[in-house]
Amino acid sequence: MIRFPNLKAHLLFSFILTISLLSYSQEDTKYEFEKRINKEDFPTQSIELLQPFLKHSKNEKYYREFDGSNYFYELKLLFKSKNLSIKFTNEGDLVDIESLYDFEELSNNIKKTIIDYLDNSYKRSKIRKTQIQYNREVEDDGESEDDIEFVEDFLEKDDDLIIRYELEVEVMQKETNSAEFFEFIFNEKGELLEKRKIIQRDDDIILY
């Protein structure tokens, strides 16, 4: 146990520790903490918005998530033979809709662009998970669609939805030969938009 000779020393240590933690948390890191919850614990407005999915779905699973900075709600379900993840903010507003895909299902141009990036950046890489991320359309006046319009466009397969490719990839760094796990977000052309290191939750971590 660390003992401090006086209160000032204790406060100084606490301040330094806080600054260190904040600096670490500002790195591009994704913390994967989630807990299964009951449907009754999901935001009511989100459940109402989800009705078009729930009428034709199977295997619904509800989650409460924490990414290191913010809390989210997420529904995972099988809808028309596709595994979907539908994410909401802590207040119940729709964030995005993701559909699980096999990487080989993507177009050849997209696959080549992504693989070229991974080959040039890392010694080795293995794609563990691929999702197509659907984001709401932005109108001509710069305003985004509301949640209801977003859901309707997704169900109608509207071409104006913004498409992203979200991949979870295990890589080996060239310089250190160390294995790491990253989430990559690519745009509709396969160009990198965002990269975050994934820190997965150990089974013994208690979040709630």
Side-chain angles (χ1 to χ4, degrees):
M1 177 182 294
I2 300 176
R3 297 186 180 275
F4 298 94
N6 54 55
L7 179 59
K8 289 184 178 179
H10 175 71
L11 293 175
L12 178 61
F13 177 82
S14 299
F15 175 76
I16 294 173
L17 178 62
T18 301
I19 294 298
S20 299
L21 290 173
L22 286 174
S23 298
Y24 180 78
S25 65
Q26 288 172 354
E27 296 179 357
D28 291 333
T29 305
K30 177 183 179 181
Y31 296 84
E32 289 198 326
F33 300 157
E34 66 178 23
K35 179 183 178 182
R36 184 86 176 266
I37 62 174
N38 296 322
K39 180 178 180 179
E40 293 73 23
D41 298 321
F42 221 72
T44 301
Q45 69 186 65
S46 301
I47 293 295
E48 293 174 354
L49 186 70
L50 288 167
Q51 289 307 308
F53 296 96
L54 295 174
K55 291 177 181 177
H56 307 283
S57 66
K58 298 179 180 178
N59 304 328
E60 300 93 353
K61 296 178 182 178
Y62 298 85
Y63 293 90
R64 177 89 156 126
E65 298 183 349
F66 182 62
D67 69 354
S69 301
N70 301 295
Y71 284 95
F72 297 93
Y73 290 94
E74 186 170 18
L75 170 64
K76 300 179 183 180
L77 73 165
L78 184 65
F79 177 75
K80 295 184 178 180
S81 76
K82 279 294 182 181
N83 288 291
L84 300 184
S85 298
I86 307 175
K87 180 181 285 189
F88 296 86
T89 66
N90 194 46
E91 292 73 33
D93 298 317
L94 183 57
V95 176
D96 59 38
I97 302 172
E98 295 178 338
S99 180
L100 187 64
Y101 268 74
D102 186 317
F103 182 73
E104 296 302 321
E105 293 183 77
L106 305 184
S107 71
N108 290 331
N109 289 339
I110 296 295
K111 286 189 294 185
K112 183 180 185 307
T113 303
I114 292 175
I115 290 173
D116 286 347
Y117 165 78
L118 294 174
D119 287 347
N120 291 330
S121 302
Y122 302 101
K123 187 174 183 179
R124 285 200 298 272
S125 64
K126 186 174 182 62
I127 297 170
R128 297 294 187 182
K129 184 178 181 180
T130 302
Q131 295 188 106
I132 294 184
Q133 183 187 97
Y134 299 89
N135 297 276
R136 69 190 71 218
E137 176 187 353
V138 177
E139 306 290 355
D140 293 336
D141 58 5
E143 294 293 325
S144 297
E145 295 180 311
D146 63 28
D147 288 355
I148 295 176
E149 292 172 326
F150 182 15
V151 167
E152 289 175 348
D153 281 353
F154 176 83
L155 295 173
E156 294 169 1
K157 300 180 180 180
D158 194 302
D159 292 335
D160 290 327
L161 289 175
I162 297 174
I163 302 296
R164 300 284 184 262
Y165 300 97
E166 179 181 305
L167 274 65
E168 293 184 2
V169 186
E170 186 176 355
V171 305
M172 179 174 284
Q173 300 287 0
K174 292 181 178 179
E175 299 81 6
T176 62
N177 286 331
S178 60
E180 295 181 316
F181 200 34
F182 284 95
E183 176 191 84
F184 297 92
I185 305 293
F186 299 91
N187 66 14
E188 71 282 356
K189 297 179 181 179
E191 300 165 338
L192 182 67
L193 294 177
E194 184 180 346
K195 178 183 77 172
R196 294 193 293 175
K197 186 175 181 179
I198 297 176
I199 306 297
Q200 293 180 299
R201 179 178 67 87
D202 293 331
D203 290 339
D204 59 349
I205 294 178
I206 298 175
L207 299 177
Y208 302 91

